[in-house]
Structures are given as structure tokens and as C-alpha cells.
């Protein structure tokens, strides 16, 4: 487990901007925060009265995606909670979204449309539909992703100490995304 940032509870950190009404939940790693993450949160906020951003824990990322985040959970929570369209943040410590729903009781679940029609997406739609939760997909931002950024970081770290020669390699990786 990563060490929390002073003043930040790694399990739950929240803001108090929002109020009652339609509660939305948008979950993600939010590692290497980029425009795709911001787009998801902006779109989600426009579709609900109170937006909770679920930040997947380091351990759950390892279990579910086989990756270790670059930015530790406590720091990702702090970044996401300061985005003006986010009302609350929740550290997602379990792999089952239904367990998260039982805890938070949101009305709508937001996800990138890269999940639409997939086994995981269809399962979420069935499970959430059974308890009255709507699943809403938003367009996936093709220009960048955490996967592409990780690839660029690997390319940079593999380039050794070549200084200025590193930037073009990272740029070409980013543009392939």
C-alpha cells in the first residue's frame, strides 16, 4: 500500500460542492491524468447533480489490469478531488462495482465507450440494471491514453541519458495512440 499524502485519507477523500439529486459515479485509475480523464469527468458531471469519481486503488489496478500505477493512490485522490466538476472522490478498494454501489448508492454509472459491447460492459449493464442504475458511455478520447503515456515513459527510460534525442521518440509514440 502506498503512503498517504499528509492530510489525505487514502480510503476516502471528499469535497462538498454538490448536493442531492441524481448521483453519478465515474471510476478510473486516473493515473497519469490526461485530457481523456478530464473529458470523462466533464461529460459525467453534465449528466448528474452530484458526481463521485472513483479512483481505483493501486492494489486493485494490479489485480484487475496487471499494472502498477505511476502516481500513488493518495496523490491521484488529491488530484481528482480538486477538479471542479467532481463533488466527491472515493478510493475503490474492491474489484466488484456492485460492492461499490452498495456502499455509495449512485443512480448512474459512467464509463468510456471502449467498454460498450464488451463482456465487462454487458455484465455491468445487467447487474446495474437489476438495481435501477443506468450505465452511460461517453466517447473514448483517442488522441491520448494512460497506456500510450506509459509506452512513452518506457521509451524515454529505455533511451538512456540521450537528452534531446528522447523527445522525438516520445512524441512519435504519443501520435500513434
Amino acid at each position: 500500500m502506498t503512503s498517504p499524502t499528509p492530510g489525505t485519507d487514502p480510503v476516502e477523500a471528499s469535497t462538498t460542492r454538490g448536493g442531492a439529486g441524481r448521483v453519478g459515479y465515474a471510476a478510473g485509475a486516473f493515473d497519469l491524468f490526461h485530457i481523456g480523464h478530464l473529458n470523462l469527468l466533464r461529460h459525467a458531471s453534465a449528466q448528474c447533480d452530484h458526481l463521485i469519481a472513483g479512483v481505483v486503488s493501486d492494489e486493485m489496478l494490479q489485480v484487475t489490469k496487471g499494472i502498477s500505477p505511476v502516481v500513488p493512490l493518495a496523490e491521484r485522490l488529491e488530484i481528482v478531488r480538486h477538479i471542479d466538476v467532481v463533488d466527491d472522490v472515493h478510493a475503490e478498494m474492491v474489484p466488484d462495482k456492485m460492492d461499490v454501489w452498495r456502499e455509495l448508492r449512485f443512480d448512474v454509472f459512467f464509463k468510456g465507450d471502449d467498454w460498450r459491447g464488451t463482456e465487462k460492459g454487458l455484465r455491468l449493464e445487467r447487474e446495474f440494471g437489476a438495481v435501477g442504475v443506468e450505465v452511460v458511455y461517453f466517447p473514448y478520447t483517442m488522441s491520448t491514453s494512460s497506456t500510450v503515456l506509459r509506452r512513452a515513459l518506457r521509451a524515454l527510460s529505455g533511451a538512456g541519458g540521450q537528452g534531446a534525442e528522447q523527445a522525438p521518440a516520445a512524441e512519435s509514440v504519443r501520435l500513434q495512440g
Side-chain angles (χ1 to χ4, degrees):
M1 176 114 174
T2 57
S3 300
T5 302
T8 303
D9 180 347
V11 174
E12 186 82 30
S14 67
T15 62
T16 56
R17 184 181 67 85
R22 183 169 146 113
V23 176
Y25 186 71
F30 300 114
D31 192 26
L32 302 173
F33 197 88
H34 55 74
I35 192 65
H37 295 137
L38 187 58
N39 287 341
L40 173 69
L41 295 171
R42 283 178 176 161
H43 290 309
S45 176
Q47 300 272 327
C48 64
D49 300 305
H50 185 88
L51 178 62
I52 303 169
V55 181
V56 180
S57 73
D58 300 359
E59 294 81 6
M60 284 301 99
L61 286 173
Q62 189 64 51
V63 167
T64 60
K65 292 188 172 188
I67 61 169
S68 296
V70 175
V71 178
L73 176 61
E75 293 176 21
R76 290 182 286 126
L77 285 166
E78 192 69 13
I79 290 165
V80 173
R81 74 182 284 251
H82 281 90
I83 297 168
D84 65 352
V85 298
V86 172
D87 297 302
D88 288 301
V89 298
H90 173 79
E92 206 173 281
M93 309 297 272
V94 295
D96 187 346
K97 299 291 188 221
M98 287 302 297
D99 287 340
V100 176
W101 174 80
R102 286 180 195 95
E103 183 179 347
L104 301 176
R105 299 295 178 159
F106 46 85
D107 305 302
V108 59
F109 179 78
F110 302 107
K111 199 68 184 156
D113 68 2
D114 55 321
W115 276 52
R116 186 189 311 266
T118 67
E119 184 180 326
K120 284 182 182 180
L122 293 170
R123 186 179 71 242
L124 278 175
E125 290 173 30
R126 280 191 309 274
E127 290 175 356
F128 281 146
V131 294
V133 173
E134 179 184 6
V135 176
V136 175
Y137 296 100
F138 294 122
Y140 186 75
T141 304
M142 297 304 291
S143 62
T144 191
S145 72
S146 297
T147 301
V148 170
L149 293 173
R150 273 189 195 79
R151 242 185 263 141
L153 286 172
R154 279 195 301 272
L156 286 171
S157 66
Q162 297 179 16
E165 292 177 13
Q166 293 175 352
E171 185 66 17
S172 68
V173 170
R174 185 182 67 80
L175 293 175
Q176 292 173 3

